[in-house]
Amino acid sequence: AQSVTQLGSHVSVSEGALVLLRCNYSSSVPPYLFWYVQYPNQGLQLLLKYTTGATLVKGINGFEAEFKKSETSFHLTKPSAHMSDAAEYFCAVSGTGRRALTFGSGTRLQVQP
Amino acid sequence: ETGVTQTPRHLVMGMTNKKSLKCEQHLGHNAMYWYKQSAKKPLELMFVYNFKEQTENNSVPSRFSPECPNSSHLFLHLHTLQPEDSALYLCASSQASGSMNEQFFGPGTRLTVL
């Protein structure tokens, strides 16, 4: 079985500051990991994904995440926050052969001017 | 239309009404999903369909009845709902084969049960 823990339901940063959203997972098989973003009144949009290969994954809108197997983590970062990054972010894990994703509870990112 | 579409976007219904939510995907996928997103709760998987066959039902009450007539369309039939069923209902699709399982989401239907 898989599970995902997102530390911090709310994160607030200043515009231009580093964004760090934390995600830890547990999985009995090599995981596939995803970050999704949800803007108000919209569905979820894929930011980036890790399947195999390079552990540093780059996504859209300047976001990236690093898969660290030893720490069972997949934290999302962006060097410089923009006002348009304010949204809710979800980390998700999928194990081999499983059809559905297991989502974390989400982290709401606020960006202060 | 591209991607995953959902109609209606907003729905208000009484507890005795019967209504249906519709989802359509234009991505050539073979797996479709219903999720429930409530305030302050994690995203809850409700149903999974692969090649029109239901492969997962996460103990969803029978007042929610899914239907998948083909790989492009997914419905969620609603009857005698409760106020606690008010939520955003999200539809998603993915390729059925392979385990990468990247899911594409629709914009959701905001359901309010009075």
Side-chain angles (χ1 to χ4, degrees), chain A residues 75-93:
Chain A
H75 302 331
L76 182 70
T77 60
K78 181 174 180 178
S80 177
H82 191 273
M83 296 297 290
S84 60
D85 295 327
E88 187 143 23
Y89 292 80
F90 294 91
C91 182
V93 63

Side-chain angles (χ1 to χ4, degrees), chain B residues 4-32:
Chain B
V4 181
T5 58
Q6 290 187 244
T7 54
R9 293 293 310 275
H10 300 271
L11 178 62
V12 180
M13 58 187 289
M15 292 165 55
T16 57
N17 291 159
K18 289 185 180 182
K19 296 286 184 183
S20 295
L21 310 185
K22 178 183 176 182
C23 175
E24 184 173 1
Q25 59 94 2
H26 309 269
L27 300 168
H29 291 162
N30 290 305
M32 296 187 77

Side-chain angles (χ1 to χ4, degrees), chain A residues 19 21 33-39 44-50 57-65 74 76-78 84-85 87-91 109, chain B residues 102-103:
Chain A
V19 175
L21 305 183
L33 295 157
F34 306 82
W35 275 100
Y36 283 84
V37 61
Q38 185 179 31
Y39 298 101
L44 278 67
Q45 179 184 3
L46 183 69
L47 268 180
L48 49 80
K49 62 186 178 188
Y50 168 79
V57 180
K58 294 186 185 299
I60 61 172
N61 301 339
F63 284 93
E64 61 183 37
F74 190 56
L76 182 70
T77 60
K78 181 174 180 178
S84 60
D85 295 327
E88 187 143 23
Y89 292 80
F90 294 91
C91 182
L109 176 66
Chain B
E102 175 182 337
Q103 292 183 21

Side-chain angles (χ1 to χ4, degrees), chain B:
Chain B
E1 291 274 16
T2 58
V4 181
T5 58
Q6 290 187 244
T7 54
R9 293 293 310 275
H10 300 271
L11 178 62
V12 180
M13 58 187 289
M15 292 165 55
T16 57
N17 291 159
K18 289 185 180 182
K19 296 286 184 183
S20 295
L21 310 185
K22 178 183 176 182
C23 175
E24 184 173 1
Q25 59 94 2
H26 309 269
L27 300 168
H29 291 162
N30 290 305
M32 296 187 77
Y33 313 78
W34 279 117
Y35 288 89
K36 177 183 179 182
Q37 187 177 32
S38 307
K40 301 180 181 178
K41 290 177 75 174
L43 207 59
E44 300 172 65
L45 178 67
M46 300 175 73
F47 303 102
V48 181
Y49 279 81
N50 280 282
F51 295 95
K52 303 187 300 178
E53 299 298 320
Q54 188 180 119
T55 54
E56 196 159 340
N57 176 341
N58 272 355
S59 304
V60 181
S62 60
R63 58 185 183 270
F64 294 91
S65 175
E67 178 190 1
C68 189
N70 54 61
S71 293
S72 299
H73 293 86
L74 185 64
F75 295 89
L76 189 63
H77 304 299
L78 316 171
H79 64 98
T80 59
L81 294 191
Q82 305 297 311
E84 60 264 29
D85 296 324
S86 298
L88 182 68
Y89 288 85
L90 292 165
C91 174
S93 70
S94 72
Q95 292 291 347
S97 60
S99 53
M100 194 181 304
N101 204 23
E102 175 182 337
Q103 292 183 21
F104 293 80
F105 283 80
T109 295
R110 173 70 63 187
L111 174 66
T112 303
V113 182
L114 302 176

Side-chain angles (χ1 to χ4, degrees), chain A residues 94-112:
Chain A
S94 173
T96 302
R98 191 177 152 80
R99 291 294 171 220
L101 299 176
T102 300
F103 284 87
S105 54
T107 297
R108 185 167 298 279
L109 176 66
Q110 271 187 311
V111 182
Q112 307 287 350

